[in-house]
Amino acid sequence: MRAAPATAMLLQVAFFLQCIALTLGQYDICKSLVSTDDGPIWEYYACQPKPASMKDYMRIRVDPPGITCGDPPERFCTLENPYLCSDECDASSPDLAHPPQLMQDRERSGLITYWQTVTWSRYPEPLLANISLAWNKSLELTDDIQITFEYGRPTIMVLDKSLDNGRTWQPYQFYADDCMDAFGMPPKKVSDLSATNVTRVICTEQYSRWVGSKNDKNVRFEVRARFAIFAGPKLLNMDNLYTRMESMKGLRDFFTFTNLRLRLLRPALGGTYVQRENLRKYFYAISNIDVPARCKCNLHAGQCTFVDGNLQCECEHNTTGQDCGRCKRGFRAKSWRPGSYLPTPNGSPNTCAAAGSTRGNCECYGHSNRCSYIDFLNIVTCVSCKHNTRGQNCQHCRLGYFRNASAELDDESVCIECNCNQIGSIHDRCNETGYCQCKDGSGGPKCEDCLPGYYWKQGCFPNVCDDELLLCQNGGTCNQNQKCLCTPEFRGVLCEQVRCEGGDCDAACTSYLSIATLLLCLLANQLAQLTAY
Ligand SMILES: *[C@@H]1O[C@H](CO)[C@@H](O)[C@H](O)[C@H]1NC(C)=O
Ligand SMILES: *[C@@H]1O[C@H](CO)[C@@H](O)[C@H](O)[C@H]1NC(C)=O
Ligand SMILES: *[C@@H]1O[C@H](CO)[C@@H](O)[C@H](O)[C@H]1NC(C)=O
Ligand SMILES: *[C@@H]1O[C@H](CO)[C@@H](O)[C@H](O)[C@H]1NC(C)=O
Ligand SMILES: *[C@@H]1O[C@H](CO)[C@@H](O)[C@H](O)[C@H]1NC(C)=O
Ligand SMILES: *[C@@H]1O[C@H](CO)[C@@H](O)[C@H](O)[C@H]1NC(C)=O
Ligand SMILES: [Ca+2]
C-alpha cells in the first residue's frame, strides 16, 4: 500500500524531468564545428538561454512607504482563530521582522519566511499595496509565475507587466473572488482560452476564494496551460508552440516582460464580511514569488550571465546589446534580424554578416537586405534603403539629411535630419556639415536666428529703428526695432516730421523744418535703403 504513492511520485518526477529535458534540449547551442571535405567549418543555429529562477535576480520595491509591518511594532491575529493574537511584527527585531526580501529568499531550514504588511486598522479605507519587481532585462516566461500567500490570498488583486523597464504598464491578469463586482469582467479560466484568444487578459476567480488558508496558498499566472494549447497537455509538441511563436502576432510578446507588479487591492477576509471589531486579522503576507523565465536574447545567445547586478545575454552570431538586438560594428552588411525557431529543430540563426560578405557583393551597409538588378543600367542596387539613406549602396543620405561625421557608414544613425527652420531657410536641405541655406536676414546653422540689423516677426525683417544708426528723432522711442513711438508733436518713420494742426499746415510745416531735421531725414532714408539690400 505504501509503495503506490511512491511509485506515483517517481513517475511524476520522471515526467517532470522529461519535460525539462524537452524544453531544454531544443535551441541550446549556438554553433558547432562540423567537418566537411574542405576541413572543419562552423555551423550556426538559433539558440536561447536555459530557463532560470528569476526571483534570484529581481529588485523588489513595495509601496506605499510604511506598508511593511513592524514600525511601530504591531500584534496581529490569524483568520482561523481571530482570538489568538499572539503574533507580533517588529521591524527592529531580526526574529520578528518581515522585510520585502523574504519574498525571494531560499528557505533552506524549512522555516517559512515572509514579507508582511500592516493590518487593516484604517478600515473602511482600502488596504492597498504595490509590489514592483524589476530585472532591467527583457525576459520570457517559461513556466507559471507562482505567488505564495501566508494567512490567505487577497480577494482582489491585479498582476501588471511592463515591457519597457517600468515606463508603461499593462494588466496581465485580474484576480478577484467576484470578477464582475471587482472589475466588471466575466470570470474566466485559462482552460476557457483557445488558440485564437490565448493572449487575452482575463479575470479569474480561481485563486481568490477563501478555501481555508492551509488549503491553498498559491496564486498563479498560468504559462504552462497556455503553452499546452499549442504543445499538448504534456508539452510534448513544443515544435508546434515554437512554430506558433514565429507566426502568431503578439504571442512571443505576451510572455515577454522586463518588470512585474502586483497590485494588492483587498486582503483575505476569511468570510463574507469584514469584522470591524477585529481588524488585526486582515493583512497581506507573501512568502515566495517564483518567476521561471529565460533571458530574451532574440535567439542569438545560449547563455545569460549576471554581471554587475544586471542580466546580460552572451551574444553570438556577431550580435551585441543587452538582448543581442543589434549587429556588432563591422557586421552590418545585412540588417539585424532575430533568430528564428524555424525550420525546426535547429531554427535559423540569421547571423550578422561582415561588410562585403553578402551574396552578389552588393553592399548596403546594413540599411537594406534586398538588392535588385536593373537591366537597362546593368547594375545591382540596394532596394528600400532604411535609416534615411539612399543610393546604390545606401551610401548617401536622403535629401533633408546630412552625414553624421562620427558614425560609420553602417551605423543606424549615419544620417542626421537637417532640421532647417521652415521660415528662415530657403528649403529643407543642408550641406555636409548640416548648415541650411538661409533667406535674406536670417542666419545660424539652421537659419533660426536673425542677422544683426534684423528683427524677428514670422521671419527676419530689416530694423526700422535701433539704438545706433536708425535713431528715433525728437524724443521718439524705438519699439522692438519695428517702429518709432513718437511724441504727439511729431510723426514719420523716425518721428522726423512735425505734426501740424489747422488747414494751412503744409506751408507752415515747410517753413518750420530746420535744416538739421531735413538732413537727418535724408540720412535715415538712405540708410533704410542700404540695409534693405
Ligand atoms: C500602485 O500602482 C498604481 C499604478 O501606478 C498606482 O495608481 C497606485 O497609486 C499604486 N498604489 C500604491 C498603494 O502605491
Ligand atoms: C540596466 O542595464 C543596462 C545594461 O546592462 C545598464 O547599462 C544600466 O545601468 C542598468 N540600469 C540599472 C538601473 O541598473
Ligand atoms: C476563446 O475562444 C473560444 C472559442 O475559440 C471561446 O469559446 C472562448 O469563450 C474564448 N475565451 C475568451 C476569454 O474570450
Ligand atoms: C563573427 O565574426 C568572427 C570574426 O570576428 C568570425 O570568426 C565568426 O565566424 C563570425 N560569426 C558568425 C556567426 O558569423
Ligand atoms: C552620430 O553617430 C554617433 C555614433 O553612432 C551617435 O552616438 C550619435 O548619436 C549620432 N548623432 C546623431 C545626432 O544622431
Ligand atoms: C556648410 O555651410 C557653412 C555655412 O555656409 C560653411 O561654413 C561650411 O564650410 C559648409 N560646409 C561644407 C562642407 O561645404
Ligand atoms: Ca520566503
Side-chain angles (χ1 to χ4, degrees):
M1 281 314 285
R2 297 184 84 176
T7 323
M9 214 165 88
L10 270 179
L11 276 174
Q12 256 182 358
V13 168
F15 168 65
F16 184 64
L17 287 177
Q18 190 189 14
C19 279
I20 288 186
L22 272 170
T23 32
L24 289 191
Q26 267 176 308
Y27 308 109
D28 56 353
I29 53 166
C30 299
K31 60 181 176 193
S32 76
L33 208 50
V34 293
S35 54
T36 66
D37 292 344
D38 303 332
I41 58 156
W42 285 108
E43 232 174 47
Y44 299 100
Y45 317 107
C47 52
Q48 57 188 7
K50 293 180 179 62
S53 173
M54 291 298 171
K55 82 168 180 184
D56 298 341
Y57 309 108
M58 67 192 178
R59 290 171 207 160
I60 305 182
R61 184 197 146 102
V62 297
D63 282 302
I67 188 71
T68 301
C69 68
D71 184 19
E74 193 178 7
R75 275 190 184 283
F76 58 93
C77 325
T78 63
L79 285 168
E80 297 90 356
N81 192 347
Y83 304 103
L84 187 74
C85 301
S86 53
D87 287 333
E88 192 181 357
C89 178
D90 182 349
S92 64
S93 150
D95 289 341
L96 301 175
H98 293 282
Q101 61 265 31
L102 297 182
M103 291 186 269
Q104 74 184 130
D105 62 339
R106 298 198 168 246
E107 296 161 355
R108 287 216 176 75
S109 56
L111 183 76
I112 293 173
T113 57
Y114 50 91
W115 167 74
Q116 188 180 322
T117 67
V118 296
T119 62
W120 202 359
S121 56
R122 290 198 182 165
Y123 178 86
E125 200 179 292
L127 181 63
L128 304 176
N130 284 355
I131 303 163
S132 306
L133 311 171
W135 285 270
N136 189 29
K137 173 78 191 77
S138 324
L139 306 174
E140 291 169 334
L141 286 170
T142 52
D143 210 329
D144 295 2
I145 298 173
Q146 181 174 289
I147 306 133
T148 308
F149 286 88
E150 305 297 324
Y151 301 96
R153 301 177 292 189
T155 45
I156 306 180
M157 99 176 202
V158 183
L159 176 67
D160 294 325
K161 75 161 182 174
S162 169
L163 280 162
D164 53 11
N165 292 315
R167 274 184 287 281
T168 59
W169 292 88
Q170 59 206 77
Y172 217 1
Q173 193 149 302
F174 295 89
Y175 300 85
D177 56 355
D178 186 335
C179 281
M180 213 62 209
D181 185 55
F183 299 111
M185 295 169 78
K188 297 275 181 193
K189 290 181 181 168
V190 174
S191 55
D192 297 332
L193 296 174
S194 67
T196 53
N197 54 21
V198 60
T199 60
R200 186 153 306 177
V201 175
I202 59 168
C203 179
T204 182
E205 298 179 349
Q206 236 177 320
Y207 305 105
S208 309
R209 293 243 159 99
W210 176 250
V211 283
S213 73
K214 293 290 182 294
N215 252 339
D216 205 344
K217 307 202 247 180
N218 294 327
V219 173
R220 284 173 182 277
F221 177 79
E222 304 90 338
V223 171
R224 198 160 260 269
R226 284 176 168 94
F227 283 175
I229 293 173
F230 304 108
K234 293 179 181 171
L235 302 189
L236 294 178
N237 190 359
M238 288 301 277
D239 277 0
N240 189 37
L241 173 67
Y242 287 133
T243 304
R244 294 299 190 115
M245 289 278 193
E246 291 293 338
S247 59
M248 234 181 104
K249 202 171 172 292
L251 186 61
R252 285 195 82 165
D253 276 355
F254 182 78
F255 297 105
T256 306
F257 61 98
T258 57
N259 301 55
L260 295 171
R261 179 171 67 196
L262 285 169
R263 278 190 278 141
L264 309 178
L265 301 175
R266 196 174 66 195
L269 304 183
T272 327
Y273 304 104
V274 175
Q275 285 183 302
R276 282 170 168 270
E277 66 281 7
N278 191 353
L279 294 172
R280 285 193 290 171
K281 61 178 181 173
Y282 305 117
F283 53 88
Y284 306 102
I286 297 180
S287 58
N288 194 40
I289 300 179
D290 259 332
V291 183
R294 67 161 57 94
C295 288
K296 177 188 171 83
C297 303
N298 287 298
L299 294 173
H300 287 312
Q303 307 278 335
C304 189
T305 48
F306 195 57
V307 186
D308 300 330
N310 283 299
L311 288 165
Q312 163 75 47
C313 299
E314 296 281 297
C315 300
E316 301 267 358
H317 305 156
N318 288 313
T319 61
T320 186
Q322 209 184 13
D323 304 346
C324 310
R326 300 196 302 277
C327 288
K328 268 193 195 162
R329 226 163 228 280
F331 290 90
R332 295 186 186 144
K334 296 181 292 179
S335 292
W336 175 89
R337 278 198 296 156
S340 167
Y341 286 118
L342 300 177
T344 54
N346 287 331
S348 317
N350 295 334
T351 56
C352 291
S357 70
T358 36
R359 226 181 325 154
N361 210 13
C362 176
E363 170 85 77
C364 300
Y365 296 105
H367 305 306
S368 163
N369 19 5
R370 278 198 302 138
C371 290
S372 155
Y373 176 67
I374 301 180
D375 211 7
F376 63 93
L377 292 175
N378 189 27
I379 57 160
V380 180
T381 180
C382 305
V383 179
S384 338
C385 296
K386 286 188 292 192
H387 314 129
N388 305 309
T389 61
R390 65 175 178 90
Q392 189 184 349
N393 305 102
C394 306
Q395 78 276 36
H396 298 304
C397 289
R398 274 173 47 194
L399 289 182
Y401 293 80
F402 69 105
R403 177 72 200 275
N404 180 347
S406 54
E408 307 270 331
L409 213 43
D410 64 2
D411 201 311
E412 281 190 15
S413 48
V414 66
C415 294
I416 304 172
E417 200 176 352
C418 291
N419 217 352
C420 301
N421 185 294
Q422 277 188 0
I423 296 170
S425 63
I426 292 173
H427 47 60
D428 59 4
R429 275 164 275 158
C430 54
N431 75 6
E432 288 113 274
T433 43
Y435 278 82
C436 303
Q437 253 188 298
C438 302
K439 289 181 189 163
D440 281 346
S442 49
K446 308 296 172 197
C447 311
E448 72 279 38
D449 301 322
C450 286
L451 295 175
Y454 289 81
Y455 69 93
W456 175 262
K457 193 180 179 189
Q458 315 278 269
C460 296
F461 294 93
N463 288 350
V464 173
C465 54
D466 59 28
D467 299 334
E468 288 157 29
L469 293 169
L470 300 168
L471 287 170
C472 300
Q473 305 297 309
N474 298 314
T477 51
C478 183
N479 181 23
Q480 299 182 330
N481 300 111
Q482 293 176 25
K483 64 175 176 193
C484 289
L485 301 176
C486 303
T487 54
E489 302 86 49
F490 293 91
R491 63 184 178 91
V493 177
L494 293 178
C495 311
E496 72 280 8
Q497 294 175 35
V498 178
R499 192 184 291 279
C500 303
E501 272 150 52
D504 56 341
C505 201
D506 282 354
C509 264
T510 331
S511 63
Y512 221 85
L513 256 158
S514 72
I515 302 286
T517 320
L518 194 68
L519 277 176
L520 266 170
C521 269
L522 282 171
L523 187 67
N525 255 327
Q526 260 174 357
L527 270 173
Q529 264 172 13
L530 273 175
T531 44
Y533 288 104

